Amino acid sequence: MTKFGSAVFNRLVIIIPYAWLMFFFLIPFFIVFRISLSQTAVAMPPYLPVFDLADGLSGIFSGIREFSIDNYLWLTQDALYINAYGASLWIAGVSTLCTLLIAYPIAYGMAQAPSNLRATLLMLVILPFWTSFLIRVYAWIAILKPEGLLNQFLLGIGVIDQPLIILNTNWAIYIGIVYSYLPFMVLPIYSALEKMDHSLNEAAQDLGCTPISAFWQVTFRLSLPGVIAGCMLVFIPAVGEFVIPDLLGGSETLMIGKTLWNEFNANRDWPVSAAVATILLLILVVPIMFFQQAQAKADGEGR
Amino acid sequence: MSKKIVTTLSALLVAGSATFAAAQEKVVNVYNWSDYIDASILEDFTKETGIKVVYDVFDSNEILETKLLAGSSGYDVVVPTADFLQRQIQAGAFQKLDKSKLPNISNMWDMVMTRTAQYDPGNEYGLDYMWGTTGIGYNVEKTKAILGSADAPTWDVIFKPEIAAKFKDCGIYLLDSPTDIVPTALLYLGLDPNSHNPDDLKKAEELLLTVRPNIRKFHSSEYINALANGDICLAVGWSGDVLQARDRAAEAKAGVEVGYVVPAQGAKMWFDMMAIPGDAPHVEEAHAFLNYLMKPEVIAKASDYVFYANGNKASQAFVSKEVLDDPAIYPKDDVLAKLFSFLPYDPKTQRVVTRLWTKVVTGQ
C-alpha cells in the first residue's frame, strides 16, 4: 500500500468507532436530553414542544424558547429521587467491592495456572453466559427462597434451625449482582495478570521484599488497569440495574431503575424520566472520565 | 431530521417483514397480550378470508402505550385495557371504527358495552375482547386453617390488619399496580373507588400503610408461580392469572389447591379493548379481523382457551359449561352488580397516586 493509501485507510478505521458512538450514543442522548427540557402532554408523542420540520427555522426557534429546566428542578423537590440515586450508587458500590474481592483471587489463580490449563479455566469463567441471564437470576429465586436449596442444605447440616430470609431483601440483590457480573471482573484482571512478567516479582524478592509486599508493590500495581476496568464494567451497569432488584429484591428497595420505570410508565411523564436518565448518565460519566485519566496515566508510566 | 430518521428506522424495524409482505398479499398485524388467544382462530381466519395474520404479543399495557405514542407502530389491531384506551384516544392514537364493516357488533353484550362506553362514549373506537376482575387468589387449605371456616375470604383478609397479620407468615402478595389497589382500598373504606379527592386518597394511603407490614411482596406477575407452588396464602391479582395458577397447581399434583374469589364487598372490573391505531397500514383487514372475532362461536373458542369472560352475549351459547358456570370467570348477577369500573386519573392525580404508592411500597 502506498503511504497515501495507508493514511486514508487509517482515517477510515478511526471513523468507524466514532460513527458508531455518534449514531448509537450521541444522537440518542441528544434526543433524550431534548425531551427532558419539554413538558408532558396528552398527545402523540406525549410531550411538547415537538419540532415540525415543516415550520422551518422559525418553528425550531419558537420550540427552543419553550424549553425549560423545570423537570430538573422537580427532581430536587422530592427527596425520593436523591434517595434513589444514593441507594443505587451504594448498592452498586458495595457489589463492586464484593465482586473485586471474589474475582481477584480467581483471576490470580488462573494466571498462575499452567498454561495448558488456562484455556479451560477461561472457558469455565465464560460458561455461565451460555444460559440466559434471566434464567440464571430466576434460578437464584429457587436457591434463596425460604424453602429453597440453600436453606434446606443449612437446615440439613444443622447450622440453622430457622430458614434464613434472604430472598426479597438487599442481600439477595448483592448476591445476584455479584454472581451476574463476576466474569466481567475476572476477565480484565486475568488479562492484566497474564501479561505480567514474573521475573519482576522474583527481582523484588531478590531485592529483599517479602512475598506479601512483593505482591502489593509489584503484582497488584501492575494489575491495577485490569482492576479499574473490571470495577467500571461492574459498577456502571449495576447502578442502572432493573431486573435483579425487581426479581430478587424486596419491595422497599428503591433503585433508580425502578424510579425511572415509574416516571415513564406509571406517570407517563417522558420529560421527567428523560431528566432522571440524563442525571444518571452524568453520574456515570464522572467515573468513566476518572477511569480514562487513570488509564492514560498508567500507559504513560508503562512506557 | 433526527426525529425523521428515528421514526423511519423504527417503522422499518417494527413493521419490517409485514410491510414487505403487504405488497404481495393481504395482511393484518395484530398486537395482543401474550397467551390470550387460541392459535387455531388465527388459522381459521386466514382460511376464511385469505388475510394473513402477523401476530405479535406484549405483556404490559405500558409497552403497548409506549409503542403507540411513539407513533408508526405498524400494527393494525391492538388490545389495550379500557383506562389506557381512553387516554390513548385523547392522545389521538386511534381511528374511529367503521361500524358498517362490523355487522357482528349486534352480538355484543349490552352490559359490557354500557360499561365500556364510560371510557369511550358510543364505543366509537374500541370493542371489548375479554374482561375480568381484580380479586383475591388464595391457597384453599391454608386459608381455611387460618380463618377457621371454609367461607371464601373477603377484603378483610387484606385490609383488616388484625386478620391480615395472621396471614403474614404464610405470605401475602399485592399487585404492584396502584390503579388496582388504590381504588379497591377506597371501596373498602366505603368511599368512591374513582375518587380524585386528595382527602380520600390520603385516607387510602393511611389504610395501605397499616396494611403494609403484612405484605411480603408487591409484584404484578410473580404471584402466579407463588400461589401455584404453595409459597404464599393470599394474592390480590387479576382473575385470569389466578385461574392460571389454579390450573398449574392442579397439574403439578403437589396437593396445592388455589381458589379465586370476587369478594362480597365488590371489586374492580376491567376490560381489554380491541382498537385500530390511527396510522394502521391495513384498515380494511383490521375491520375484517374485528368482525371475525365478534362471531359468537369464534370468541367462545377464545374464552374456553384463555378462561376469561368475553363481551359477546351471543357467544354464551357456545362457551363450554365449565367456563360459563364458573363464578370466578362469569360472576353471578348479584356479584356483577357490585363490580365497579375504574376510570383513568388525570396526569396530576396520577402523579399523586404514584407518589403515595411509592411511599406505601418502599416506605419513602
Side-chain angles (χ1 to χ4, degrees):
Chain A
M1 211 183 283
T2 65
K3 210 170 182 185
F4 176 73
S6 80
V8 170
F9 179 76
N10 284 344
R11 285 271 165 84
L12 281 176
V13 170
I14 294 172
I15 284 174
I16 295 170
Y18 276 100
W20 179 273
L21 269 179
M22 181 86 181
F23 279 107
F24 296 105
F25 178 74
L26 216 54
I27 291 176
F29 171 71
F30 274 111
I31 295 173
V32 169
F33 182 63
R34 196 207 71 189
I35 295 175
S36 77
L37 298 173
S38 3
Q39 270 79 51
T40 172
V42 180
M44 279 173 74
Y47 53 84
L48 284 171
V50 178
F51 292 103
D52 194 344
L53 290 174
D55 295 348
L57 270 182
S58 65
I60 291 179
F61 282 126
S62 73
I64 286 174
R65 246 172 278 135
E66 287 175 49
F67 278 162
S68 81
I69 56 163
D70 286 356
N71 297 314
Y72 291 93
L73 295 177
W74 168 262
L75 298 187
T76 63
Q77 310 279 307
D78 191 337
L80 175 76
Y81 302 99
I82 291 157
N83 290 343
Y85 282 122
S88 295
L89 290 172
W90 173 257
I91 288 178
V94 172
S95 308
T96 307
L97 192 65
C98 295
T99 314
L100 177 63
L101 292 177
I102 296 172
Y104 201 96
I106 296 177
Y108 190 79
M110 283 167 64
Q112 298 294 319
S115 52
N116 57 348
L117 255 180
R118 286 183 199 168
T120 317
L121 292 173
L122 205 55
M123 192 69 196
L124 287 174
V125 172
I126 303 169
L127 201 63
F129 290 124
W130 291 20
T131 313
S132 150
F133 165 74
L134 207 55
I135 291 176
R136 285 182 284 133
V137 177
Y138 267 109
W140 276 105
I141 296 180
I143 295 171
L144 298 177
K145 66 180 185 178
E147 55 283 16
L149 294 173
L150 178 70
N151 275 313
Q152 279 177 5
F153 174 72
L154 292 178
L155 286 169
I157 61 171
V159 177
I160 50 172
D161 46 8
Q162 278 283 318
L164 297 173
I165 302 293
I166 302 175
L167 190 63
N168 302 341
T169 66
N170 280 1
W171 289 105
I173 300 179
Y174 290 129
I175 293 172
I177 294 179
V178 169
Y179 164 77
S180 302
Y181 289 105
L182 195 62
F184 296 108
M185 185 71 93
V186 173
L187 295 178
I189 297 178
Y190 166 74
S191 90
L193 287 172
E194 199 211 9
K195 278 187 301 194
M196 217 186 78
D197 185 350
H198 283 288
S199 55
L200 291 175
N201 220 334
E202 284 164 21
Q205 293 195 29
D206 288 346
L207 293 172
C209 260
T210 62
I212 293 173
S213 63
F215 170 79
W216 282 114
Q217 294 192 3
V218 180
T219 313
F220 186 74
R221 285 201 179 182
L222 285 174
S223 69
L224 215 49
V227 170
I228 294 174
C231 287
M232 293 296 149
L233 282 174
V234 174
F235 182 77
I236 293 167
V239 173
E241 186 57 56
F242 179 75
V243 174
I244 295 172
D246 186 55
L247 291 177
L248 300 179
S251 302
E252 66 284 349
T253 308
L254 185 70
M255 284 179 74
I256 202 68
K258 177 71 179 171
T259 311
L260 218 153
W261 194 99
N262 273 339
E263 286 301 335
F264 194 81
N265 289 318
N267 291 340
R268 293 169 196 88
D269 196 332
W270 291 22
V272 165
S273 49
V276 173
T278 305
I279 298 283
L280 180 63
L281 188 83
L282 288 180
I283 292 176
L284 294 179
V285 161
V286 175
I288 293 174
M289 282 166 58
F290 166 75
F291 166 56
Q292 280 201 326
Q293 251 182 356
Q295 189 88 340
K297 207 173 137 201
D299 282 357
E301 277 173 3
R303 254 170 229 139
Chain B
M1 188 62 196
S2 64
K3 180 176 181 329
K4 217 166 199 174
I5 293 172
V6 172
T7 346
T8 321
L9 276 179
S10 58
L12 277 175
L13 284 174
V14 174
S17 57
T19 25
F20 186 68
Q24 296 103 32
E25 52 183 340
K26 291 206 280 180
V27 172
V28 60
N29 299 316
V30 181
Y31 198 38
N32 198 354
W33 293 82
S34 52
D35 259 336
Y36 213 27
I37 200 160
D38 182 342
S40 70
I41 292 174
L42 306 176
E43 289 161 22
D44 293 347
F45 173 72
T46 306
K47 262 183 229 155
E48 194 173 305
T49 61
I51 300 170
K52 194 178 154 218
V53 184
V54 178
Y55 196 80
D56 195 3
V57 297
F58 56 89
D59 58 7
S60 77
N61 269 308
E62 287 79 11
I63 291 177
L64 169 62
E65 179 160 282
T66 305
K67 285 198 182 181
L68 279 177
L69 294 186
S72 309
S73 66
Y75 295 114
D76 301 309
V77 175
V78 296
V79 191
T81 306
D83 48 318
F84 282 77
L85 175 92
Q86 178 175 5
R87 207 170 20 235
Q88 289 154 7
I89 292 172
Q90 283 170 16
F94 298 116
Q95 54 183 278
K96 283 189 182 171
L97 302 172
D98 182 348
K99 302 232 170 126
S100 69
K101 291 177 184 149
L102 302 168
N104 289 337
I105 209 165
S106 59
N107 295 326
M108 293 301 282
W109 191 354
D110 52 350
M111 181 279 287
V112 170
M113 292 289 263
T114 318
R115 284 175 180 256
T116 58
Q118 292 175 285
Y119 303 92
D120 168 18
N123 293 298
E124 284 188 318
Y125 293 91
L127 292 165
D128 181 59
Y129 175 63
M130 297 282 162
W131 59 270
T133 49
T134 303
I136 302 175
Y138 59 103
N139 183 313
V140 175
E141 203 179 317
K142 289 184 184 169
T143 302
K144 192 176 158 187
I146 291 171
L147 287 179
S149 101
D151 293 347
T154 68
W155 287 122
D156 288 344
V157 297
I158 307 290
F159 293 118
K160 211 172 230 166
E162 59 270 29
I163 299 184
K166 294 186 202 165
F167 285 93
K168 185 185 174 184
D169 289 339
C170 184
I172 306 177
Y173 274 28
L174 287 195
L175 287 171
D176 187 6
S177 163
T179 52
D180 279 280
I181 306 297
V182 172
T184 306
L186 287 168
L187 174 87
Y188 184 77
L189 291 170
L191 300 165
D192 174 10
N194 276 307
S195 176
H196 289 193
N197 180 340
D199 295 337
D200 291 353
L201 292 171
K202 190 83 202 154
K203 283 178 198 153
E205 177 183 322
E206 282 159 13
L207 172 67
L208 289 168
L209 285 172
T210 64
V211 165
R212 175 68 184 93
N214 297 316
I215 306 301
R216 186 181 293 172
K217 188 158 190 178
F218 294 84
H219 202 279
S220 297
S221 59
E222 264 184 36
Y223 65 96
I224 304 176
N225 276 326
L227 273 177
N229 294 341
D231 292 343
I232 58 172
C233 266
L234 299 172
V236 176
W238 293 304
S239 48
D241 280 355
V242 176
L243 297 176
Q244 206 182 338
R246 183 179 73 180
D247 289 353
R248 280 192 207 169
E251 276 166 27
K253 294 197 176 72
V256 178
E257 192 191 339
V258 175
Y260 176 77
V261 64
V262 178
Q265 294 104 325
K268 175 177 159 177
M269 183 181 190
W270 48 260
F271 308 87
D272 284 339
M273 307 292 293
M274 305 183 281
I276 305 179
D279 51 9
H282 312 98
V283 177
E284 195 69 31
E285 289 83 355
H287 281 91
F289 187 74
L290 293 194
N291 197 45
Y292 185 77
L293 280 183
M294 285 189 290
K295 278 188 170 184
E297 61 277 18
V298 171
I299 195 72
K301 198 172 173 184
S303 275
D304 281 351
Y305 184 83
V306 300
F307 280 37
Y308 274 107
N310 63 57
N312 192 306
K313 185 77 181 169
S315 78
Q316 291 178 14
F318 300 90
V319 173
S320 73
K321 225 177 126 37
E322 174 202 1
V323 168
L324 191 65
D325 289 348
D326 189 338
I329 302 175
Y330 279 93
K332 301 286 166 255
D333 288 345
D334 57 326
V335 178
L336 264 185
K338 287 199 169 165
L339 298 178
F340 68 88
S341 318
F342 164 75
L343 300 172
Y345 295 121
D346 58 275
K348 226 175 171 173
T349 312
Q350 178 68 55
R351 194 165 261 295
V352 172
V353 171
T354 308
R355 188 65 188 87
L356 89 79
W357 187 247
T358 305
K359 186 171 178 191
V360 169
V361 171
T362 67
Q364 293 194 30

